[in-house]
Amino acid sequence: MKGFKISAHFIARAGIIAAVYTVLTLALQGISYGPVQFRIAEALTVLPFADVAAIPGVALGCLFANLGSPLGLVDILGGSSITLISAYLTHKAPNRYVALLPPIVLNAIGVPIYLAPAVGLPYWLVALQVGLGQLVVIGVLGLPVLSLYQRIMSRFPIKD
């Protein structure tokens, strides 16, 4: 990324997104972990479509939130890696609707690789459960969160 500079505004936006993701996940622990999960913070995973600072923001937020995961290191590294990759793909999406797909699909495919053996369920069942949770959260909350973020950002034009 030739000529890419990280500004204080970039770091602040990434930090705020990471903090919101972490707090939402930890505050709603009961529905944020396990094979059947509705991690409300996942609605933030569409923000990279509108703001490149959201890529490290959601990835770090997931990493910090997964420090509280019952699966430990595998979820800390696995979950945050999947989130980082899906955030990058979301940023590259051609439109806001396609931007919803990477976090849904990659989590449904990737998370069950380590979650299914940990909970003793078949891969396909955990993939279905994680995918359904992602679809519900991102499908219902993703676009409204993205629209709100874009409205807020348009009021405070920042040049990185």
Side-chain angles (χ1 to χ4, degrees):
M1 295 177 24
K2 189 176 178 182
F4 182 75
K5 295 180 183 176
I6 297 177
S7 70
H9 289 119
F10 179 96
I11 293 169
R13 291 192 317 276
I16 290 167
I17 291 166
V20 170
Y21 187 106
T22 303
V23 168
L24 279 173
T25 303
L26 295 177
L28 300 169
Q29 283 185 49
I31 60 171
S32 294
Y33 301 102
V36 179
Q37 60 180 258
F38 294 95
R39 189 177 281 198
I40 303 302
E42 284 290 302
L44 301 175
T45 61
V46 298
L47 296 183
F49 178 73
D51 186 1
V52 70
I55 296 172
V58 295
L60 288 171
C62 183
L63 186 141
F64 295 140
N66 283 350
L67 292 175
S69 169
L71 296 180
L73 190 60
V74 69
D75 202 15
I76 294 165
L77 298 177
S80 56
S81 296
I82 292 166
T83 300
L84 178 62
I85 295 165
S86 67
Y88 175 78
L89 294 174
T90 297
H91 179 68
K92 295 295 185 183
N95 63 59
R96 60 192 355 235
Y97 302 103
V98 174
L100 301 174
L101 296 178
I104 295 170
V105 173
L106 291 181
N107 276 289
I109 293 169
V111 171
I113 291 171
Y114 60 86
L115 184 57
V119 296
L121 293 173
Y123 171 87
W124 64 268
L125 179 59
V126 176
L128 184 65
Q129 292 170 330
V130 170
L132 181 62
Q134 290 289 105
L135 182 63
V136 168
V137 170
I138 295 169
V140 171
L141 299 176
L143 288 179
V145 166
L146 179 60
S147 295
L148 177 62
Y149 189 80
Q150 288 176 313
R151 248 185 283 139
I152 291 168
M153 292 302 290
S154 71
R155 291 185 178 187
F156 305 99
I158 297 170
K159 294 183 182 180
D160 283 322

